[in-house]
Amino acid sequence: MKIVILWSSPNEDGLTATAKNSIMKGLTKGGNTVTEIHLNKKKINHCVACGDGWGTCNKTGECALKDDFADIYSELTSADGIVMISAVYWSGMTECFKAFVDRLRRCEATHNHYLAEKRCMLVACAGGTGRGTIECLKDMELALTHMGMRAYDRIPVVRFNKDYILPALEKAGEVYTDALENGFNMYY
């Protein structure tokens, strides 16, 4: 199976990167192919609401902006599973994660529906007070809902729980891959 980890943090050695590495261990145990996409290393422009506010994304499902967005979108559409991990800033996703999700939502929700029904794992990592992780996860899930996607799990990681959550993330990766292979025991 192909699983994509989409993550964002400017700190490649911080809590978010450590969380990504922990979940990746679990995802790869079953011999899955895991593709890691670090949004901070990609060129992702912000949506400019071209045309009358609904540009080519509404009409053709493609964004008019030329950067790394289309390649990342293609990776997500071909994936069996998607894990989204973001550092928490001001109770929300990082700015580059938001920029990507805003454009993805416009293409996906209004035209393509390639990602509809895909179940994702969501992880929010806050290194400061820890406040804001739940709000960040809520915003991430709301974006999924607009696209017809579903959150399989939502995991808050803060510096106060990292000693027990990081090992749990590895197990979460294993359980998620099992669910991808054998089906989800969920109502929705």
Side-chain angles (χ1 to χ4, degrees):
M1 277 190 307
K2 178 181 176 183
I3 302 169
V4 173
I5 296 179
L6 190 65
W7 74 286
S8 177
S9 173
N11 187 350
E12 294 185 59
D13 296 319
L15 184 62
T16 306
T18 304
K20 182 258 311 168
N21 292 337
S22 293
I23 202 161
M24 188 178 285
K25 285 180 191 172
L27 295 171
T28 58
K29 281 190 177 175
N32 301 299
T33 301
V34 179
T35 302
E36 174 187 339
I37 301 172
H38 187 189
L39 289 174
N40 294 71
K41 300 289 185 186
K42 301 293 183 180
K43 181 173 176 38
I44 305 292
N45 295 312
H46 290 269
C47 176
V48 295
C50 58
D52 60 355
W54 291 99
T56 57
C57 56
N58 188 42
K59 294 173 183 69
T60 67
E62 295 179 14
C63 184
L65 301 176
K66 301 301 178 207
D67 56 14
D68 293 328
F69 173 80
D71 291 338
I72 298 168
Y73 188 15
S74 178
E75 286 287 335
L76 295 178
T77 61
S78 67
D80 298 300
I82 301 168
V83 178
M84 297 181 173
I85 306 172
S86 181
V88 176
Y89 294 146
W90 306 103
S91 301
M93 298 172 267
T94 66
E95 286 75 6
C96 58
F97 212 116
K98 281 189 251 181
F100 178 79
V101 167
D102 285 346
R103 290 172 59 195
L104 181 68
R105 184 174 20 203
R106 281 178 170 265
C107 291
E108 190 61 25
T110 61
H111 189 277
N112 295 339
H113 312 291
Y114 300 143
L115 302 176
E117 299 302 318
K118 288 199 183 205
R119 291 195 169 100
C120 305
M121 288 192 68
L122 305 175
V123 181
C125 304
T129 64
R131 293 188 313 221
T133 53
I134 301 304
E135 291 86 350
C136 181
L137 289 167
K138 180 182 166 229
D139 287 349
M140 292 169 86
E141 187 164 4
L142 182 60
L144 292 185
T145 302
H146 291 158
M147 296 181 278
M149 300 168 75
R150 299 177 180 178
Y152 173 68
D153 204 352
R154 306 137 198 93
I155 304 171
V157 181
V158 299
R159 63 186 174 120
F160 306 110
N161 71 8
K162 69 179 181 179
D163 291 339
Y164 64 89
I165 290 293
L166 292 174
L169 280 174
E170 183 175 340
K171 183 64 176 175
E174 290 179 50
V175 171
Y176 178 59
T177 58
D178 180 66
L180 287 170
E181 285 183 38
N182 300 308
F184 292 85
N185 185 14
M186 302 171 70
Y187 168 70
Y188 69 97

